[in-house]
């Protein structure tokens, strides 16, 4: 027996190792591996949705209010063209114009009216009568109209008249004096009755003036 083992020791030891491996596999339990945590699919999807795929996916910042232009005329302390913000009301623009003159007819003014771009706000003096408005029916509280770019000779202030080509301080004062003495202009051609305003000057002005 010893002689056989000696001559076949390689086979003997090989078989013994194979037997040990088999017994190890059969009787010794495999070590448990650490289980991976379960993935919360809903939370993952929510997280992916919150990440913008590009700059276009990001929510835009709040837009700034739009700037609009309003022309204020009549019985105000500082007539002129003013910047306003979309959503402003007449009272906000009148503050920028220095407020009302003492002879302004406050009963005709709708201070709460919202202003819009290219709007003309004319503040009447006491006794001028009622004016139409772009507000609700029956509210004749303030004269407002879309600006057509022309100067009304019967309502313009001295400063407004001086915005016309060829009309300086002296001619603007003469126009106001003529209007005060003779009443409102009936036609734009009546402007030629003012000293210093001839046909040549009138041709430059006729597209920029009106009497109604």
């Amino acid at each position: 027996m010893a002689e056989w083992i000696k001559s076949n020791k390689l086979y003997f030891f090989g078989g013994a190792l194979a037997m040990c491996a088999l017994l190890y596999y059969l009787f010794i339990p495999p070590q448990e591996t650490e289980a991976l945590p379960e993935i919360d699919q809903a939370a993952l999807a929510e997280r992916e949705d919150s990440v913008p795929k590009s700059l276009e996916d990001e929510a835009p910042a709040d837009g700034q209010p739009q700037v609009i232009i309003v022309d204020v005329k009549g019985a105000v302390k500082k007539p002129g063209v003013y910047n306003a913000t979309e959503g402003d009301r007449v009272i906000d623009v009148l503050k920028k114009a220095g407020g009302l003159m003492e002879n302004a007819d406050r009963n005709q003014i709708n201070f709460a009216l919202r202003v819009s771009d290219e709007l003309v706000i004319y503040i009447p003096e006491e006794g001028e009568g009622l004016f139409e408005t772009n507000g609700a029916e029956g509210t004749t509280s303030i004269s407002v109209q879309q600006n057509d770019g022309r100067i009304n000779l019967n309502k313009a202030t001295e400063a407004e008249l001086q915005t016309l080509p060829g009309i300086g301080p002296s001619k603007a004062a003469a126009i106001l004096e003529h209007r005060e003495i003779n009443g409102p202009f009936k036609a734009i051609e009546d402007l030629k009755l003012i000293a210093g305003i001839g046909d040549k000057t009138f041709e430059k002005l006729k597209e920029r003036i009106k009497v109604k």
Side-chain angles (χ1 to χ4, degrees), residues 16 44 49 56 99 131 149 186:
L44 180 61
D49 290 341
E56 294 180 356
F131 294 84
K186 296 180 181 180

Side-chain angles (χ1 to χ4, degrees), residues 159-181:
E160 290 169 344
L161 290 170
Q162 290 182 49
T163 63
L164 295 170
I167 303 298
S170 59
K171 289 182 181 178
I175 292 172
L176 294 180
E177 183 180 3
H178 183 277
R179 192 172 74 191
E180 183 178 352
I181 296 174

Side-chain angles (χ1 to χ4, degrees), residues 84-119:
T85 304
E86 188 176 22
D88 280 356
R89 301 180 185 272
V90 168
I91 190 172
D92 301 316
V93 180
L94 292 179
K95 288 178 181 178
K96 296 182 178 182
L100 302 177
M101 300 287 288
E102 292 183 1
N103 61 343
D105 191 346
R106 290 167 171 78
N107 293 328
Q108 295 193 56
I109 304 171
N110 181 0
F111 293 99
L113 185 70
R114 291 184 185 276
V115 298
S116 58
D117 194 35
E118 299 184 359
L119 191 71

